[in-house]
Amino acid sequence: PGWYAGDLHVHAEHSALGNATMSEVFDYAFRAIDEGGAGLDFVTLSDYVTSSGWDEIGHHQPLHPGKLVIRSAEIITYHGHAMNHGSASYVDHRAGPVHELAPNGDLTLLRAAHPPAEIFAAIRDAGGIAQLNHVTHCPSTTAYCRRTCRGCPWDYSAEETQYGDVAAIEVQSGSAFMYEYFTASAIAFWDLALASGHEIAAVGSSDSHTARVPPCESTESPIGDATTVVYASSLSEQGILDGVRARHTYVKLFGNDGPDLRLEAIGDQGGAGIMGDALPDSSATLDASVFAIAPGEPEHLLKLFRNGEEVDSVAIGSPGGTHAFRAESSGRYRIQLENDGVIVA
């Protein structure tokens, strides 16, 4: 059991012509940070609407002992993108009706339209988890986005989505450019889902197609930028899926070399838990720790949020520290680390 760093949205050669090969993807993802890699423990191979790459993972996995490649696929619709993580089953991504065209031009309905809720239920039934991707990227309310990024934001209604079968929402997806324009709204989207009573993990991903594109590219990001850190019972497909289901996650928004966080709640009536857990106590001490702030970095600000609103903060210098926040009433509590006003974890 332990904390494992990974990327839950990675593409390779089965997504599109010109994408990085699987060898390039895994070599960069698992190479140590001080050797020029992402230094990750796991990635999801999340090629577009296909399971065709999964049978090839076995050729690559033995080359990376102590690392993990999880079978995944990105679901693409005209109203949003999502993930099918770990089900090991292809799930029909087509949300619209499916027809067969006869030689005389007649159409026969083969399958009626089905909302994403039915897709997510199929993923759940197959043992996997669903994740909503880049939920507020390039809003479809603008003509430019409708032309250039159709289906990028999540435009389905809550009824069509049925958030009870959604395990994770990307609050950061890709480069610093994407952070600047879309991360605040993505965090608000996730927080609104939690406020509606759903239990959903926050995750961050690169949506990388070329393995190690430098972050100076405006819309592309190298693997691991962002990184999701998961507390799991083991570094296994099932262990990581269960860790996300339990919401034992936090996000390093700008890569795996960013600061690490821990949060432990000690209830006044004896309950205890880590980030993602729920306590029966109505008041608690929240021990928040920050590690690995780089030498020479200015003081960071560690903030405490309750039900989406900031309620407390403390300055944390290099290399880190621990602060005991107080939760005097029930609610949804989380911590957020900022550097000069920029959220880093």
Side-chain angles (χ1 to χ4, degrees), residues 49-310:
V49 300
T50 182
S51 60
S52 60
W54 297 351
D55 289 341
E56 299 180 30
I57 291 174
H59 299 299
H60 299 270
Q61 184 72 79
L63 303 176
H64 304 282
K67 306 296 184 178
L68 174 68
V69 181
I70 296 173
R71 294 163 290 182
S72 180
E74 187 166 15
I75 299 161
I76 306 295
T77 81
Y78 290 126
H79 303 290
H81 296 187
M83 286 300 183
N84 168 11
H85 287 319
S87 74
S89 300
Y90 170 73
V91 175
D92 190 351
H93 66 281
R94 297 168 297 180
V98 178
H99 295 84
E100 183 177 61
L101 178 65
N104 65 359
D106 291 343
L107 290 175
T108 301
L109 181 66
L110 300 181
R111 178 183 58 69
H114 63 167
E118 294 182 9
I119 300 175
F120 299 158
I123 294 170
R124 177 204 64 208
D125 292 345
I129 60 173
Q131 168 184 310
L132 303 188
N133 299 339
H134 42 70
V135 289
T136 59
H137 276 198
C138 210
S140 54
T141 51
T142 68
Y144 171 81
C145 289
R146 290 195 298 273
R147 290 194 308 270
T148 61
C149 201
R150 185 180 182 186
C152 285
W154 192 256
D155 287 333
Y156 287 105
S157 69
E159 183 178 4
E160 293 169 318
T161 304
Q162 293 297 317
Y163 285 91
D165 282 328
V166 174
I169 291 175
E170 282 184 353
V171 298
Q172 170 68 3
S173 179
S175 66
F177 174 88
M178 297 301 189
Y179 169 89
E180 182 72 21
Y181 285 95
F182 306 121
T183 295
S185 58
I187 292 173
F189 183 106
W190 168 65
D191 216 27
L192 181 61
L194 300 186
S196 299
H198 304 292
E199 298 181 353
I200 301 175
V203 299
S205 309
S206 67
D207 195 3
S208 172
H209 288 256
T210 52
R212 53 184 179 272
V213 170
C216 58
E217 298 288 339
S218 64
T219 59
E220 288 283 352
S221 184
I223 292 172
D225 189 354
T227 290
T228 301
V229 186
V230 182
Y231 184 81
S233 60
S234 63
L235 185 58
S236 64
E237 200 168 68
Q238 193 62 53
I240 296 298
L241 295 184
D242 286 345
V244 175
R245 286 189 184 100
R247 299 172 295 154
H248 292 160
T249 68
Y250 71 92
V251 179
K252 298 182 181 185
L253 275 71
F254 297 102
N256 194 26
D257 58 351
D260 286 292
L261 301 181
R262 298 290 185 269
L263 180 65
E264 183 177 3
I266 308 296
D268 291 349
Q269 285 76 50
I274 63 172
M275 54 183 73
D277 290 336
L279 272 63
D281 309 64
S282 59
S283 57
T285 296
L286 308 177
D287 289 326
S289 299
V290 182
F291 306 95
I293 296 178
E297 286 277 339
E299 281 192 327
H300 287 50
L301 197 60
L302 181 62
K303 295 182 175 181
L304 179 70
F305 286 75
R306 177 182 179 273
N307 296 338
E309 301 290 336
E310 182 183 343

